[in-house]
Amino acid sequence: MSTTNGSTPTNAPRKVAVLGPIPRDHVTTHRGEVFDKYGCALYTTAALSALLGPDDVVVPVVHVRERDEQPIKELLDGFGNVDLSLIRSHTDRGDEIDLTYEDQNVRHELQSGFMHPIAPDDVDPVLDADAFVCVPITDYEVPSATLAHLRAHGRGTILFDGHGPTVSLSPGGIRVHRLWIDRDSWLPNIDILKMNLEEAGCSWFPPPGGDPAAIGAPLDRALIPQFAEHCLDRGVRAVCVTLDEEGCATYFRDADGALQEHLVPQIRIPEVVDTTGCGDSFAAGMAFGHLQFDDFVAAAQYGNAMGAQRASGSGLGVYLDYAGTTDQVRSAYGSVGAS
């Protein structure tokens, strides 16, 4: 595994596939503002489009409802390096979610529409991609079999957001946390695992077991390295746990096999406008940073940058291009990547 210092970026044309839903979100912000918009993989796609060059291509792979296909494609039509061919409505199934925020980071979620799962044959047209950015928001959307298919037949890095397998639906469409009990069958097919503390808490239950009250609670910060080592021992190349206003913690092994821990502080912005889609944007930045520099610290820095850009506004025009984002990263951290 290479973890360079980010001084020699890769400039060859690249292809990135984004797997996940584009839900129709009904959002009530912590300030009482109410609006409807599309989200999730839409943000990931737009953020990657801004970072990548005109000769690169981003391919969202998603099932949507028939009535949503054209509006979604119109939103992305102005992004010249986005291939819209795998945004498909033949199943006429897509996510629809009500999001009500108590504050910037706490929200209640109710889901009333359900995307058809992304199956192995859905990704066959993009098996030549350099990276696969998987941003499911519910446990059924990007199945384990699809990741296994990407691993067996694809050649790109697989970044997986742990939001999907740690969220399920109860009767009435209430979105609830669930334990990722079959985690170890997924890990060999993931290169970069990204999640927050709550999702990590739903993913860590070391044998023989412990306090039931602690299972599924936000993971204790002191236990993150132990959880990360477990994942790395099972084939994951890097684990990144986001820490809200503190930034993120990234773990990987160096050339000698020793565990490396890097705390990458948050990039501050003047005002937080809307945090919907920050995690999806973070995933985009992380995938790009790794693809560009082959460096997990750079990946986390670009993840923080895209998350900060997303929080600074409510539209898709908030994302800076590669030059602007790199200036933001250098201003925040002094350099790109591990020093």
Side-chain angles (χ1 to χ4, degrees):
M1 179 190 70
S2 173
T3 53
T4 65
N5 64 8
S7 60
T8 308
T10 301
N11 294 312
R14 292 153 296 183
K15 181 176 184 178
V16 180
V18 177
L19 283 65
I22 299 181
R24 184 174 183 85
D25 291 335
H26 180 75
V27 181
T28 302
T29 72
H30 64 288
R31 294 172 174 160
E33 303 160 313
V34 179
F35 48 86
D36 292 289
K37 60 181 178 179
Y38 296 103
C40 193
L42 185 76
Y43 298 126
T44 312
T45 299
L48 281 164
S49 174
L51 289 168
L52 292 166
D55 296 327
D56 302 320
V57 62
V58 187
V59 189
V61 182
V62 56
H63 297 294
V64 298
R65 297 179 301 181
E66 290 179 356
R67 65 178 177 173
D68 292 326
E69 180 178 1
Q70 194 56 37
I72 289 170
K73 287 184 174 180
E74 287 175 0
L75 284 170
L76 291 171
D77 190 50
F79 294 82
N81 57 1
V82 176
D83 180 343
L84 305 177
S85 64
L86 295 184
I87 299 176
R88 294 171 291 184
S89 64
H90 62 284
T91 62
D92 196 21
R93 288 177 57 187
D95 285 1
E96 186 165 359
I97 301 176
D98 285 322
L99 303 170
T100 302
Y101 283 84
E102 289 186 4
D103 58 37
Q104 295 180 72
N105 299 309
V106 178
R107 68 192 186 193
H108 302 287
E109 306 180 7
L110 184 70
Q111 186 165 343
S112 57
F114 316 103
M115 182 190 78
H116 186 79
I118 297 173
D121 59 353
D122 290 322
V123 299
D124 281 341
V126 291
L127 289 176
D128 60 337
D130 299 286
F132 304 97
V133 187
C134 305
V135 287
I137 59 173
T138 317
D139 52 10
Y140 65 88
E141 293 166 337
V142 181
S144 176
T146 300
L147 290 190
H149 187 71
L150 292 178
R151 172 64 78 223
H153 303 287
R155 62 183 182 85
T157 299
I158 301 172
L159 184 149
F160 187 76
D161 192 326
H163 189 55
T166 58
V167 172
S168 192
L169 298 171
S170 68
I174 300 171
R175 293 171 54 78
V176 296
H177 286 298
R178 67 178 288 270
L179 299 183
W180 192 7
I181 298 297
D182 58 344
R183 171 205 61 210
D184 287 357
S185 67
W186 292 64
L187 295 180
N189 297 317
I190 298 170
D191 292 305
I192 302 174
L193 177 62
K194 171 256 176 191
M195 52 177 42
N196 61 30
L197 283 172
E198 289 74 19
E199 293 152 4
C202 290
S203 306
W204 187 229
F205 24 84
D211 179 5
I215 298 175
L219 188 62
D220 187 311
R221 292 277 297 274
L223 297 178
I224 299 177
Q226 184 182 358
F227 168 65
E229 282 205 282
H230 179 93
C231 297
L232 297 174
D233 287 344
R234 284 153 182 80
V236 178
R237 297 176 58 203
V239 175
C240 181
V241 179
T242 58
L243 308 172
D244 294 329
E245 67 277 359
E246 296 180 58
C248 63
T250 299
Y251 301 83
F252 55 89
R253 296 197 187 280
D254 64 19
D256 296 322
L259 180 69
Q260 299 294 304
E261 176 186 60
H262 289 262
L263 300 179
V264 184
Q266 180 190 57
I267 293 179
R268 302 290 178 180
I269 57 175
E271 181 183 12
V272 175
V273 176
D274 180 12
T275 58
T276 309
C278 284
D280 307 307
S281 304
F282 184 101
M286 190 162 206
F288 174 83
H290 182 261
L291 184 62
Q292 184 79 356
F293 298 106
D294 193 19
D295 184 313
F296 295 125
V297 175
Q301 292 172 338
Y302 277 80
N304 278 345
M306 301 315 282
Q309 291 172 28
R310 174 69 200 92
S312 68
S314 59
L316 297 180
V318 296
Y319 300 112
L320 302 176
D321 62 9
Y322 170 61
T325 301
T326 300
D327 286 344
Q328 185 181 34
V329 167
R330 291 189 184 279
S331 176
Y333 303 114
S335 61
V336 175
S339 58

